[in-house]
Amino acid sequence: MTIPVLVVEDEPVLARRLQQQLATLWPGIDLLPVADNGAAAIALALEHLPRVIFLDIHMPAASGLDAAEAIVEDWPEGVPLPQLVFVTAYGQYAVQAFEHGAIDYLLKPVSTERLQRAVQRLQERLALLDGASGEALGGALQRVAQALQPAASAAPLSVINAAVGAVTHLIPIDDVLYFEVADKYLRVVTREREALIRMTLRELLQRLDAERFWQVHRSLVVQARCIAQVERSEDGRLWLGLRDHPTRLGVSRLFAHRFKAM
């Protein structure tokens, strides 16, 4: 049985070279069309369900990491998750991420020798496992995300300046129940009100205490002490109940490992 493999790379020359190397080193694979951006990677991955994805980290618009998160979240139940191999030109991040347990990590330009070792590792893993579990893959992705996160240059947030109509409210960070992506904004939800701030989730995460605020979905960050309960539905999904607030928040597969004791 052939193994479908997807290469995600926005530089055509590098994509072609990587595919040629893979075709030589791993004759049993079926190379899918190259995805040259994050959106194409998500679409091709969910259409063809590859067993392995070589994913460039730095691409225009959506990064490889963002694409990987979306792929894992939308991956169909019952189908083994793909093995992800990150590819980047930034060595300092690669070493750090690899030490933190990334599935594999290749530096550009990818040498044949190094790629051969990666292929061997993938072959062994595919032979032993029927795909990594969502929890294991989610944990690995988070470690890579943390390794790639630039050092915070701004002070941690203590107060949020948030707009509600024409009024700007000063919301203490202690009062926030959760943040949720809302188009180009972030919705800030407290027990008393909802408001909007113009900031990306990635920017926000750099200014939050990771021990206090947990990302539970690619569009949701919740204050941990505000979680009252975790419930598993019949279809296996996890839902969070909040203290003194009726909202239930869904936990994606990517972040379900936080609650693996359930």
Side-chain angles (χ1 to χ4, degrees), residues 70-148:
I71 290 168
V72 172
E73 285 185 16
D74 295 336
W75 197 259
E77 294 287 345
V79 178
L81 283 161
Q83 302 292 314
L84 301 181
V85 178
F86 292 101
V87 184
T88 182
Y90 299 88
Q92 70 275 27
Y93 296 136
V95 172
Q96 190 178 1
F98 204 68
E99 288 176 346
H100 282 72
I103 295 168
D104 208 338
Y105 212 106
L106 298 176
L107 286 177
K108 296 180 184 179
V110 180
S111 72
T112 300
E113 181 183 14
R114 180 64 183 86
L115 183 60
Q116 188 169 27
R117 292 206 301 274
V119 167
Q120 183 177 1
R121 182 176 293 119
L122 285 164
Q123 290 170 331
E124 292 171 353
R125 187 163 299 189
L126 289 173
L128 290 172
L129 305 171
D130 193 19
S133 69
E135 288 77 7
L137 188 51
L141 278 174
Q142 275 209 304
R143 288 191 290 274
V144 175
Q146 291 165 0
L148 291 171

Side-chain angles (χ1 to χ4, degrees), residues 167-236:
V167 179
T168 298
H169 293 267
L170 304 183
I171 302 174
I173 197 74
D174 288 344
D175 292 349
V176 176
L177 295 175
Y178 62 92
F179 298 93
E180 183 176 25
V181 174
D183 197 10
K184 296 180 180 178
Y185 297 87
L186 284 179
R187 180 180 295 113
V188 184
V189 179
T190 71
R191 289 185 177 82
E192 293 76 28
R193 63 172 57 89
E194 295 185 14
L196 296 175
I197 58 175
R198 196 173 184 88
M199 179 183 287
T200 67
L201 192 63
R202 196 171 295 278
E203 291 169 342
L204 174 72
L205 288 170
Q206 294 177 33
R207 300 190 61 186
L208 293 178
D209 181 347
E211 296 297 320
R212 293 179 59 193
F213 287 88
W214 295 356
Q215 186 171 10
V216 298
H217 189 278
R218 61 175 162 160
S219 63
L220 273 174
V221 173
V222 61
Q223 182 148 208
R225 67 177 176 79
C226 299
I227 300 173
Q229 63 184 38
V230 185
E231 178 184 352
R232 187 181 296 277
S233 60
E234 290 185 356
D235 63 2

